[in-house]
Amino acid sequence: YQRRVHGMKRVLLLLLVSCLPAEGVTGKKSAPDRGEKKPKTVAVTRMVFFDFSVGETPAGRVEIGLHGWSVPNSAENFAKLCSGSHFPGFGYEGSIVTNITRGDSIQAGDFINGDGTGGHSIFGKSFGAENYKLKHRKGVVTMLETRRGQVDSRFLIAMKAKRELDGKYVVVGTVLTGFNVLEGLQEYAGAPPTKTIRIARSGELEIKPFIHNY
């Protein structure tokens, strides 16, 4: 009988040990899977779009999710410049792309001078950058600064991760659909681009806020 009880205790002990994680047995954490990266998430609170054209030829639509819970003023500014709702004729629609660096970035948003030197916000000439919390991953839309800590309407779309901009520029949104359209514009790289690339139409789409992996 005693041998049977001892045998049962041993079996229970082995079962208990087999159910413990490696940390519980050794006191050390098991090595993480180096191939697995934890996704970063951010809230998309508004959605806007650009319909691009090359010359007179439509090039396609790009839809951008704005991160209004992270940067509410920047998102409000960007959305109203897309919709033109601040007042008629004031915004991105009809403006041109001013710089394309192949495989790196696309710059636009100067609807004042049309050459990348001018811009205007819905809050005045410019307004204060809110924070630099969001990182510059591939596909983000970031506001260019007129001077340190001030933004207007000019922006950059990152064609690749641009970590050198982290802590320097405000990420306002992320390209959600139409990245292939932006890739197609790379053949016109230049400052200015070799062909006139225009935001032929822009606007805001109605959505419910959601969480996005970026």
Side-chain angles (χ1 to χ4, degrees), residues 55-131:
E56 299 298 321
T57 305
R61 172 169 291 194
V62 173
E63 294 182 353
I64 299 166
L66 302 181
H67 308 315
W69 290 347
S70 300
V71 283
N73 290 340
S74 298
E76 179 75 5
N77 180 61
F78 202 91
K80 286 192 172 180
L81 291 176
C82 284
S83 67
S85 60
H86 187 57
F87 56 80
F90 184 86
Y92 294 136
E93 188 166 308
S95 65
I96 63 173
V97 171
T98 54
N99 189 328
I100 297 177
T101 302
R102 188 184 298 272
D104 182 86
S105 61
I106 294 175
Q107 294 183 30
D110 176 9
F111 56 87
I112 301 298
N113 297 335
D115 59 5
T117 64
H120 210 288
S121 82
I122 65 169
F123 303 113
K125 175 63 177 172
S126 63
F127 65 100
E130 292 169 274
N131 62 67

Side-chain angles (χ1 to χ4, degrees), residues 19-89:
C19 293
L20 289 173
E23 182 180 357
V25 177
T26 66
K28 299 180 181 179
K29 293 183 179 181
S30 57
D33 182 357
R34 300 298 181 185
E36 182 179 342
K37 292 184 179 180
K38 186 178 180 180
K40 302 294 183 180
T41 61
V42 65
V44 171
T45 58
R46 304 174 80 161
M47 184 90 76
V48 296
F49 70 88
F50 293 141
D51 288 339
F52 285 98
S53 65
V54 178
E56 299 298 321
T57 305
R61 172 169 291 194
V62 173
E63 294 182 353
I64 299 166
L66 302 181
H67 308 315
W69 290 347
S70 300
V71 283
N73 290 340
S74 298
E76 179 75 5
N77 180 61
F78 202 91
K80 286 192 172 180
L81 291 176
C82 284
S83 67
S85 60
H86 187 57
F87 56 80

Side-chain angles (χ1 to χ4, degrees), residues 176-196:
L176 299 181
T177 65
F179 196 79
N180 61 310
V181 173
L182 301 175
E183 290 175 328
L185 299 179
Q186 299 300 296
E187 66 175 290
Y188 309 110
T194 56
K195 287 190 176 181
T196 300

